Amino acid sequence: MISPTALIADDEPLLRDSLERSLARAWPQLQIVAQARNGREAVEMFQVHRPDIVFLDVHMPGLNGVEAARQIARQAQVVFVTAYEEYALQAFERGAVDYLVKPVEDARLSDTVQRLQERLAAQQPLPGSSAALEAVIDELARRMARPPAGALGGHGAQQSGLGSSAGSSAFSAMAGGLASDSGPLQWIRASVGSTLKLIPVDEIQFLRSDEKYTLVVTADGEALIRTPIRELIERLDPQRFVQVHRSVVVNLHAISHVTRGPNETADLHLKARPEVLPVSRSYLHLFRQM
């Protein structure tokens, strides 16, 4: 039996990786054949890999998800991924295409996976063959032309989805931000659906950021927050947390050992997590005495 294949397109790498991990839990047989950083890459990679399913972020630089869908949708099942409920049209629910709203909750993803599995098993005609898809895409494009209702500015305003690591049961998504206004940071807020969780800063193993989000990792879970790492580092206890790379901050108490790498670099190994964190040349001096 040939495993179904999929492509994920999102301009935020943390969110691409998050969705891939969530899909691995919800649909282990699904093979993610490629990740694209924008709509144009998505179209190009689609032509190369011809996946059965394409997960398209609605907002991407250059060619956005809607424009990419016009070129792809007639050849694959399309699932739009969006941060705004405004774009979660009822037409999607009628089956023209599917959608996921960030944060991507496991229960909602399971529903999408079930629908996709049924369509593939029944070998149903691709929804792009009907006028329904064109109507959905046209409506989505029209709504994108105006600011989405409920879209708030600043960090902590937009939610992003992220599942907990495989085998863990911790929090899965984030809304948040900083849970205290002054002094060293003690907690970070993260939400799981309608539940707000406070992550003790002492439990953080490391932080990793991309342009918009920061991944907060503890021993048994992880969450995304829309607070830049440059703001977080200013609020963390410098005796415990140090920046070791442009995009990585680590809890010194979480480090197991350090290995030297080429060209004045090093790798950090953690006591409770399998990830290996890079230390760039600019921060190597922090570990010379260790």
Side-chain angles (χ1 to χ4, degrees):
M1 180 177 178
I2 300 175
S3 299
T5 55
L7 180 153
I8 297 173
D10 197 309
D11 62 319
E12 297 164 59
L14 289 179
L15 299 187
R16 292 197 305 267
D17 293 342
S18 167
L19 181 56
E20 182 166 359
R21 287 195 294 271
S22 296
L23 285 167
R25 294 192 300 275
W27 195 353
Q29 296 78 21
L30 183 67
Q31 294 184 13
I32 307 301
V33 294
Q35 290 190 4
R37 297 172 296 180
N38 51 56
R40 191 170 306 284
E41 274 194 2
V43 174
E44 293 173 354
M45 289 182 176
F46 177 82
Q47 298 301 331
V48 172
H49 298 284
R50 293 286 175 178
D52 302 300
I53 305 161
V54 180
F55 294 88
L56 287 172
D57 182 27
V58 170
H59 286 279
M60 290 187 287
L63 196 69
N64 64 39
V66 175
E67 293 165 335
R70 292 190 190 279
Q71 301 183 40
I72 291 174
R74 295 182 183 278
Q75 307 165 73
Q77 304 286 344
V78 169
V79 179
F80 284 117
V81 184
T82 173
Y84 302 110
E85 287 279 1
E86 178 73 7
Y87 300 140
L89 310 180
Q90 290 183 350
F92 291 160
E93 295 284 19
R94 293 198 292 268
V97 291
D98 209 333
Y99 74 95
L100 294 167
V101 175
K102 304 173 186 179
V104 180
E105 297 181 1
D106 286 348
R108 181 65 181 82
L109 181 61
S110 295
D111 292 341
T112 295
V113 166
Q114 183 176 352
R115 279 194 288 271
L116 291 169
Q117 289 173 334
E118 290 172 353
R119 289 174 185 166
L120 293 178
Q123 296 184 331
Q124 294 179 352
L126 292 170
S129 60
S130 72
L133 176 63
E134 292 296 339
V136 170
I137 291 177
D138 288 344
E139 173 66 10
L140 188 54
R142 184 181 65 80
R143 293 184 179 225
M144 288 180 65
R146 66 174 189 265
L152 304 177
H155 58 74
Q158 180 179 349
Q159 294 190 342
S160 161
L162 181 61
S164 55
S165 59
S168 72
S169 59
F171 36 83
S172 66
M174 107 69 239
L178 314 183
S180 60
D181 296 329
S182 61
L185 195 61
Q186 300 297 317
W187 308 84
I188 287 179
R189 290 192 299 264
S191 65
V192 185
S194 59
T195 302
L196 178 67
K197 299 197 69 169
L198 293 176
I199 306 170
V201 166
D202 289 346
E203 295 182 5
I204 295 173
Q205 301 279 299
F206 66 91
L207 306 167
R208 174 177 286 155
S209 71
D210 60 14
E211 293 182 0
K212 297 180 181 178
Y213 294 90
T214 296
L215 181 68
V216 181
V217 181
T218 66
D220 60 356
E222 53 193 45
L224 280 175
I225 62 173
R226 197 168 185 177
T227 301
I229 204 167
R230 65 179 182 278
E231 293 185 19
L232 284 168
I233 190 64
E234 294 175 355
R235 299 289 307 277
L236 294 169
D237 181 357
Q239 299 301 313
R240 177 179 289 261
F241 289 91
V242 296
Q243 188 162 11
V244 297
H245 188 273
R246 180 174 55 85
S247 62
V248 179
V249 169
V250 66
N251 183 341
L252 291 171
H253 293 188
I255 297 173
S256 168
H257 59 282
V258 183
T259 56
R260 287 292 186 91
N263 302 319
E264 292 295 307
T265 61
D267 291 325
L268 298 182
H269 300 260
L270 305 175
K271 299 173 185 174
R273 297 285 302 196
E275 293 89 345
V276 176
L277 307 178
V279 181
S280 62
R281 184 182 303 177
S282 301
Y283 301 99
L284 189 61
H285 67 279
L286 298 172
F287 302 96
R288 293 191 190 284
Q289 303 303 319
M290 295 182 68

